[in-house]
Amino acid sequence: MNQTTKNKKQLFTVTVYSENQVGLLNQISIILTRRCLNIESVSGSASSIPGIHKFTVTCYSDRATMEKVVKQIEKRIDVLRAFLYTDRDIVYQEIALYKVPTIRLVDEKNLEKIIRRYDARILEITREYTVIEKTGHSDETEALFQELKNYDLRQFMRSGRVIVTREATEHVSLFLDEQERRRAEFNR
């Protein structure tokens, strides 16, 4: 997606709750691909609910398209629920790792100031390299990346978005509670 098109669209975050099933990420990717949506970031992990995993995908689009995408994702048999969020609905972070030659860190006094200015931290130092970690939003990790390119940056990796909602509980918890209530009523 070119920058002009990206600027007209909004970044949406989709969370998908499922049991840890093989191929679910592929199914989600196919749904997005059919709508010509590019995945900006993806992450997955266990959720706060035992046995339930949470996949988080971000992409630029418009609300109407993303609402259709969420409905399609929820039709997948392995999916318990999927939710759509904008940045104001969630608290989110990414983590980035940067590898620079240690000699540059020692020789360039400015590099230490850059690390401090970005509230980054050093994870590992060897004779050959130093690994720097930065946690924050993508614009912050990208800004540090741009600065460190001037210091012979050897490697860079940024995680997908890790999120929690601004609500008191996970939305899927409410859904599961409702399902359990219905099941109990049905079995009476």
Side-chain angles (χ1 to χ4, degrees):
M1 177 181 299
N2 66 36
Q3 195 63 34
T4 305
T5 305
K6 187 185 279 189
N7 289 339
K8 292 180 182 178
K9 305 290 183 173
Q10 181 178 1
L11 184 66
F12 285 93
T13 301
V14 176
T15 57
V16 180
Y17 292 89
S18 171
E19 294 178 1
N20 195 12
Q21 298 293 325
V22 173
L24 181 59
L25 187 56
N26 183 50
Q27 293 174 37
I28 294 168
S29 177
I30 289 169
I31 290 169
L32 293 169
T33 301
R34 285 183 183 149
R35 295 197 176 272
C36 298
L37 297 172
N38 187 44
I39 295 173
E40 295 295 319
S41 72
V42 63
S43 64
S45 71
S47 74
S48 61
I49 303 165
I52 305 297
H53 278 66
K54 180 179 182 178
F55 293 91
T56 303
V57 179
T58 62
C59 60
Y60 285 93
S61 188
D62 59 84
R63 179 167 289 281
T65 299
M66 292 307 297
E67 287 173 352
K68 290 175 187 173
V69 164
V70 168
K71 285 179 184 174
Q72 284 185 309
I73 290 171
E74 284 190 327
K75 289 179 182 177
R76 309 307 312 165
I77 195 160
D78 298 334
V79 173
L80 296 172
R81 283 299 305 265
F83 299 95
L84 180 64
Y85 302 106
T86 62
D87 287 354
R88 68 179 168 270
D89 303 323
I90 57 177
V91 177
Y92 61 96
Q93 291 287 292
E94 296 178 353
I95 185 170
L97 299 178
Y98 313 81
K99 185 189 282 185
V100 295
T102 299
I103 193 74
R104 295 299 298 264
L105 187 64
V106 172
D107 290 347
E108 302 277 349
K109 299 300 180 208
N110 203 29
L111 189 53
E112 179 187 354
K113 290 178 184 174
I114 291 170
I115 293 168
R116 288 178 187 271
R117 186 172 70 235
Y118 283 94
D119 290 324
R121 67 185 190 124
I122 295 175
L123 293 182
E124 182 173 274
I125 298 177
T126 70
R127 291 181 191 271
E128 294 81 32
Y129 63 84
T130 298
V131 177
I132 301 165
E133 173 197 36
K134 168 69 181 147
T135 302
H137 293 174
S138 59
D139 57 334
E140 298 166 328
T141 59
E142 179 66 24
L144 181 55
F145 169 73
Q146 294 301 326
E147 292 242 21
L148 292 178
K149 286 194 317 187
N150 299 322
Y151 295 91
D152 197 20
L153 181 67
R154 299 290 170 89
Q155 290 184 36
F156 168 72
M157 181 66 190
R158 181 173 41 226
S159 72
R161 186 175 267 200
V162 178
I163 75 148
V164 293
T165 65
R166 293 189 186 272
E167 303 294 322
T169 185
E170 287 202 67
H171 290 134
V172 75
S173 296
L174 301 174
F175 169 76
L176 292 174
D177 290 346
E178 177 64 21
Q179 295 294 56
E180 189 59 37
R181 186 187 63 73
R182 286 182 182 172
R183 192 173 303 130
E185 285 178 7
F186 181 75
N187 289 331
R188 285 187 200 170

